[in-house]
Amino acid sequence: MSEITTSELDRRTLLRRAAAVGLVATPGVSFLSACAGSSGDGGDTKQATGTKSADNPLGIDPKAGVEIVIFDGGLGTKYATDVDTPLFNRKWPDAKITYSATQQVATTIKPRLNAGNAPDMINNSGTDLMDFGAIVKAGQAADLSDLFAAPSLDIPGKTVAETLVPGAVQQGTYDGKPYAVNYSFTVFGLWYNRKLFEKNGWTVPTTWADFTALLDKIKAAGITPFGYAGANAPYYMVRAIMTSAAKIGTEQVLKDIDNLKPGAWTNDAVFKAAQAWGEIGTKYIDKSYLGLKHTEVQLQQNQDKLAFYPCGSWLENEQAASTPPTFEYAMMAYPGVTASDQLPATAINAAAGEIYFAAAKSKNPQGGKEYLRTMLSKEAAVEFTKLTKSLTVVAGAADGLTISPGLTSANEALSKAGKDVFMGYLFDTWYKKLDDASREAANQLMFKGGDAKKFCDTMEAASRAVAKDSSITKFDRS
């Protein structure tokens, strides 16, 4: 899992905000642990700088080392070790890249951010990701305005920002300034085994009535119709509920939620979405999934014990080692919920996710930004897609590529959606308390009774609490 966060998406973003920020390093991460408290508050750390020029728009020191930390999740780490780092060193051969991978991002990195001796570029993802809104508030993330204004490494005549899909810069923007690169472009939907469906003559549904009718057939065949991992991936279900709410009432429903608007969670669209999904939980989910992790549930799907799984387009790559020849990933848009949905059944939630940022208080923040500029080159984006079976925010980078069945299916869904592709929500990265509450509320809804009113009231109360908490920095989404 990666957490796709948009946010996971998720990524995983998506994708994928969970445990409270850790302050103690765990065993097994010796490099990061050893670095964690080595230089006090970091206030006297001299930062590497160089001379700005057309060839060096960010003004990096060509000989200064760059430390990067990559989350070891669904996307793997080879894109960093085998693609991005060699590309960086092709241009800057005297700059040594110090690389580490971890699944415990907050536990290992947060102490270093607080101490002022952070790595230069950090991939903030996974179930132990850091509260990025709090990082921005604390001045620990570098302003990336100069990165996005810099020329692309390999797309002539365009700035980095001009090479990206619409909304990519916005998703990492806080109070008018960009602080994050949301790199992986994730398509969210319901994933299934195309071969299993073809074998049984099951047709992909577009209406809710067709969806539940198919779930009845699947249940009769002895297969769990729908499921997700309650132990560490309830945000997959939050994404499904929010997507359905947006289809019912447009993306404005999600914008109101992000903006902490009173009554946003008790909106009729959210209630109807929660009600529809709560019934799915009551009738078609295996209650034991509440205690399972994402990899355990995903393996059950690979074994054809589970039919539909809500997730982002990183799923296929994450399960590559466990996918048998009898399984071919395919994705469908979430079906329409009501006859009066304001978005069509083909509408898709797709968003940039998987946060990468340069630390403001590191030895070489400009070097961290230059590493991000390397990642945002077309060459790096193409190789990332080949390795991970995931798209990036570099527009058109995957054009002409022969890609995997699952990613092909996701691209087809995007094409069918046309103009009805929406970004989703941002509260999961803006307000960790609200994100945590949404995960618990989704699990309550799906595994413990399907009470839509309770879901809406619980989330409305959580939203009001965040809105009234003056210690939490508020953000605005127009």
Side-chain angles (χ1 to χ4, degrees), residues 8 60 123 174 180 217 228 309 363 395:
E8 228 47 176
I60 75 165
N123 174 200
Y174 294 72
K217 291 180 181 179
Y228 72 96
Y309 184 71
K363 292 181 180 179

Side-chain angles (χ1 to χ4, degrees), residues 263-274:
W265 284 97
T266 52
N267 180 292
D268 190 53
V270 179
F271 176 79
K272 287 179 178 177

